[in-house]
Amino acid sequence: MSDELPFHMQGEILKWLPVKSLIQFRSVSKTWKSLIDSSEFIAAHSLCQTHPHHLFVWYKDPRGEVKYVSFVDDESFPQQTFVPTLPISVKLPRIVGSSRGLLCFDGYLREPETSQINFKKRLAVLCNPSIKKSIAVPVPDMLYSLGFGVCPLTGNPKIVQITQLPSWIDKKREINGSLWKVKVFTLNSGKWRSLSSNLPSNSIRIRQPQIVIDRVIYWCAIDTALQSRNIIVSFDISDETFKAVDLPDSLASHNSARLSISKVRESLVILEYDINIDEQGCCNVWMMEDGVQRSLTKLYTINAPNESMKVVGFRKSGGPIMEVNNDVSEPTQLVVYEPNSEHCDDLFSGYSFNMNSYMETLLLHDRSDCC
């Protein structure tokens, strides 16, 4: 760029460029490198809507092996795909969630000397698939649920480890404290620390998967003190506080195994699975307005030829992608569903599909692949 162009205008132009170009432009000058590496620029770059939208799919192939693939969610979908890389030291990785362009996995350590899986050593892996950078973080406890999100205010990735002790421990050991044990890892500090205040009630039990919207992680949960009613539990990544969000009576009393959450663009949706009047499987899609309690709008109902149907995520356009099975003897099929025409287009076969969306980001670009 010309030296006559004001520096702030150079920054405005740079933030609209793709990640790969910016990585190269860091070597143009010290001034540009300092700008591109700044947390303010990284945050502004992530907000630009011209960067490609991706869909990351984790699944098991017909032989039971873990696979994953990323689709570019634009007019080329589903032809434009690639396979992200993970550290070879991580085995049996499962996707935890995505936030601000980063993916988080939960897996086990592969011992370098023997190449065997060490089932006593768990790892959380932060991955930026856009620039092929990964960081593996040892997880302190074995029995837990993980949450993950990037603080939008600081750009600092955080991992939340939640261990929910069974209720009988409280009676047997006469423990009067919380049965929730929560630890938080922040990438900037490189350390785990315990949270001891503002923890949810002992009667609340969360369920995976998680969904991240802006600065909040959401989970489905059950409150056993209220006749096992369904609720939503949230965790604010910025101030590290938990909240419980009530649901309308029809959803609160629904079979918890047939209730889950997802998101359409940046809005939380609740998926209510049921059987319609024709005895076919169906899924009612409800959108929650800005996280407000009981403020739900029904978007549409997905009808399927049988009960074996699960929504795994949504495209940027709002259309759902589902896992369906028309024959119990065959692998399930990942399909794109059109709500208006109720037409399905097949993608590929497999089992246990999980999908997360992400955008390009510069996060982790200044870090080396490491454990």
Side-chain angles (χ1 to χ4, degrees):
M1 297 182 189
S2 171
D3 291 338
E4 297 178 359
L5 188 65
F7 182 69
H8 74 276
M9 291 300 298
Q10 296 180 30
E12 284 297 312
I13 296 172
L14 286 172
K15 75 179 184 181
W16 293 94
L17 298 181
V19 165
K20 290 183 180 180
S21 298
L22 291 173
I23 295 298
Q24 296 174 338
F25 289 165
R26 292 173 69 244
S27 60
V28 170
S29 68
K30 292 182 178 180
T31 304
W32 276 19
K33 182 180 184 301
S34 177
L35 170 67
I36 295 171
D37 289 352
S38 68
S39 58
E40 294 81 8
F41 180 86
I42 294 175
H45 178 265
S46 66
L47 295 177
C48 295
Q49 299 300 311
T50 60
H51 308 314
H53 187 261
H54 298 268
L55 301 174
F56 177 86
V57 179
W58 181 101
Y59 68 103
K60 293 183 179 179
D61 67 14
R63 294 178 297 178
E65 296 182 7
V66 172
K67 302 286 185 180
Y68 28 85
V69 63
S70 182
F71 296 92
V72 179
D73 188 14
D74 58 14
E75 64 278 357
S76 68
F77 179 85
Q79 283 75 32
Q80 192 174 345
T81 65
F82 70 97
V83 179
T85 57
L86 288 179
I88 60 174
S89 59
V90 181
K91 292 299 181 183
L92 304 180
R94 292 191 64 87
I95 184 70
V96 175
S98 63
S99 177
R100 304 279 167 174
L102 298 187
L103 302 172
C104 181
F105 297 85
D106 179 20
Y108 295 91
L109 176 68
R110 180 185 69 87
E111 296 290 359
E113 299 83 4
T114 63
S115 296
Q116 299 296 313
I117 301 175
N118 189 334
F119 290 102
K120 293 184 179 180
K121 292 185 178 180
R122 301 287 290 268
L123 295 173
V125 181
L126 303 182
C127 172
N128 183 338
S130 301
I131 59 175
K132 300 180 180 179
K133 285 287 185 72
S134 299
I135 296 176
V137 180
V139 180
D141 298 329
M142 287 297 295
L143 302 175
Y144 57 77
S145 297
L146 283 187
F148 164 71
V150 178
C151 178
L153 303 179
T154 63
N156 190 13
K158 294 186 179 183
I159 303 171
V160 185
Q161 180 192 33
I162 300 174
T163 303
Q164 296 178 272
L165 302 176
S167 58
W168 56 263
I169 289 182
D170 193 29
K171 297 178 181 179
K172 184 175 181 179
R173 300 185 181 181
E174 297 182 354
I175 299 175
N176 296 320
S178 175
L179 297 180
W180 282 65
K181 307 301 178 184
V182 180
K183 295 180 180 179
V184 176
F185 176 90
T186 56
L187 186 59
N188 287 355
S189 70
K191 297 179 180 179
W192 290 92
R193 53 187 171 77
S194 298
L195 297 184
S196 57
S197 60
N198 194 39
L199 300 181
S201 166
N202 288 340
S203 62
I204 294 177
R205 320 298 287 180
I206 67 167
R207 297 188 291 112
Q208 299 285 32
Q210 67 156 54
I211 294 297
V212 179
I213 298 175
D214 193 28
R215 55 190 279 179
V216 180
I217 305 174
Y218 295 95
W219 296 271
C220 279
I222 298 175
D223 191 340
T224 58
L226 300 173
Q227 298 179 338
S228 296
R229 289 175 64 85
N230 298 309
I231 61 172
I232 303 295
V233 168
S234 67
F235 177 78
D236 191 305
I237 305 167
S238 299
D239 61 21
E240 299 182 353
T241 58
F242 286 93
K243 290 183 180 179
V245 181
D246 291 330
L247 295 174
D249 291 341
S250 60
L251 295 177
S253 59
H254 196 72
N255 183 346
S256 60
R258 300 182 67 82
L259 200 73
S260 63
I261 57 174
S262 185
K263 70 176 181 179
V264 175
R265 291 176 284 272
E266 289 305 306
S267 294
L268 183 70
V269 294
I270 298 174
L271 306 172
E272 177 194 22
Y273 295 92
D274 213 333
I275 304 297
N276 61 24
I277 58 175
D278 296 323
E279 296 186 353
Q280 296 176 321
C282 69
C283 176
N284 297 315
V285 182
W286 300 86
M287 178 179 288
M288 181 172 287
E289 305 285 343
D290 301 320
V292 178
Q293 298 183 28
R294 296 180 178 270
S295 180
L296 290 172
T297 302
K298 185 177 179 179
L299 298 182
Y300 48 77
T301 297
I302 301 172
N303 293 298
N306 53 49
E307 288 189 59
S308 185
M309 173 262 291
K310 182 182 76 170
V311 176
V312 298
F314 292 83
R315 294 191 61 190
K316 185 179 180 180
S317 62
I321 295 181
M322 308 189 307
E323 177 181 356
V324 298
N325 186 5
N326 296 319
D327 188 339
V328 293
S329 64
E330 297 293 331
T332 57
Q333 192 75 15
L334 191 68
V335 304
V336 181
Y337 178 83
E338 171 50 51
N340 294 328
S341 64
E342 299 188 359
H343 176 73
C344 291
D345 289 322
D346 293 349
L347 294 177
F348 54 90
S349 300
Y351 299 98
S352 304
F353 290 97
N354 186 300
M355 192 184 86
N356 286 262
S357 61
Y358 67 93
M359 300 287 286
E360 288 189 355
T361 182
L362 287 164
L363 287 171
L364 305 187
H365 80 277
D366 57 342
R367 297 176 180 266
S368 301
D369 289 328
C370 65
C371 177

